[in-house]
């Protein structure tokens, strides 16, 4: 047995090991029927994190100006509440938050089109819990998107 191959597959992860054995995964979004590049393709991680940072900063500004009155603990709690409301209202109506819009992203249903009210509510609650957003599938969708049957795509 060649120990270098065994160590290499262990270090590179299970996907690389499976690809080395001939398994084809394809590009991100292939299983969902999305294009590989361009509009309608799966949103890259960097843009999604950037959009989250823009949205969080906006929510902090709103919470600080309207609710917190200089109290740091209150600021973090109000920021999360404002983030929840912002996500619920903007994704439910126009399909993207201000941060997603600035970075050219949109949240759509798996089959295309808008998400329903209950799916947006589920997605927003899970996103505010944070842990579901950190668990991804092979299409780079967070558990919050997967359970809500949503996809973040490029505009």
């Amino acid at each position: 047995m060649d120990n270098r191959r065994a160590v290499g597959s262990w270090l590179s992860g299970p996907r690389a090991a499976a690809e080395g054995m001939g398994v084809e995964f394809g590009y991100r979004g292939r299983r969902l029927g999305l294009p590989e590049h361009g509009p309608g393709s799966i949103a890259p991680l960097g843009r999604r994190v950037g959009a989250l940072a823009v949205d969080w900063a906006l929510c902090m500004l709103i919470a600080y100006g309207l609710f917190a009155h200089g109290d740091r603990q209150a600021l973090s709690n109000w920021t999360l509440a404002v983030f929840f409301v912002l996500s619920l209202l903007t994704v439910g109506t126009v399909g993207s938050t201000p941060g997603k819009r600035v970075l050219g992203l949109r949240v759509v249903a798996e089959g295309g089109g808008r998400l329903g009210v209950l799916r947006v509510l589920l997605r927003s609650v899970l996103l505010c819990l944070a842990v579901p957003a950190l668990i991804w599938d092979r299409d780079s969708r967070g558990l919050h998107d997967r359970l809500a049957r949503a996809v973040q795509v490029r505009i």
Side-chain angles (χ1 to χ4, degrees):
M1 177 177 167
D2 184 9
N3 288 334
R4 289 177 294 166
R5 183 173 180 194
V7 170
S9 67
W10 175 75
L11 290 174
S12 56
R15 181 179 178 127
E19 287 173 343
M21 291 186 285
V23 176
E24 285 190 38
F25 289 106
Y27 61 88
R28 294 179 308 127
R30 180 177 178 212
R31 294 182 310 145
L32 301 168
L34 300 174
E36 185 172 3
H37 301 289
S41 64
I42 295 275
L45 178 63
R47 280 191 190 182
R48 294 190 329 231
V49 170
L52 180 64
V54 169
D55 290 336
W56 192 259
L58 178 65
C59 291
M60 280 185 74
L61 189 64
I62 292 169
Y64 183 78
L66 296 179
F67 306 112
H69 307 295
D71 183 9
R72 285 188 170 186
Q73 181 62 38
L75 177 63
S76 61
N77 292 337
W78 280 111
T79 300
L80 185 61
V82 170
F83 180 77
F84 173 76
V85 171
L86 177 84
S87 176
L88 189 65
L89 293 177
T90 58
V91 172
T93 56
V94 295
S96 62
T97 62
K100 286 183 187 354
R101 180 64 71 175
V102 166
L103 293 171
L105 304 178
R106 185 168 189 192
V107 179
V108 296
E110 280 181 353
R114 289 183 13 181
L115 291 175
V117 175
L118 292 177
R119 288 167 59 182
V120 171
L121 178 64
L122 174 65
R123 183 183 184 279
S124 298
V125 167
L126 292 173
L127 183 60
C128 286
L129 292 175
V131 173
L134 298 174
I135 301 171
W136 300 346
D137 65 4
R138 67 180 177 190
D139 289 320
S140 296
R141 287 191 310 158
L143 185 59
H144 66 295
D145 279 334
R146 194 167 172 154
L147 291 175
R149 295 189 328 255
V151 184
Q152 292 185 54
V153 296
R154 296 176 184 172
I155 296 176

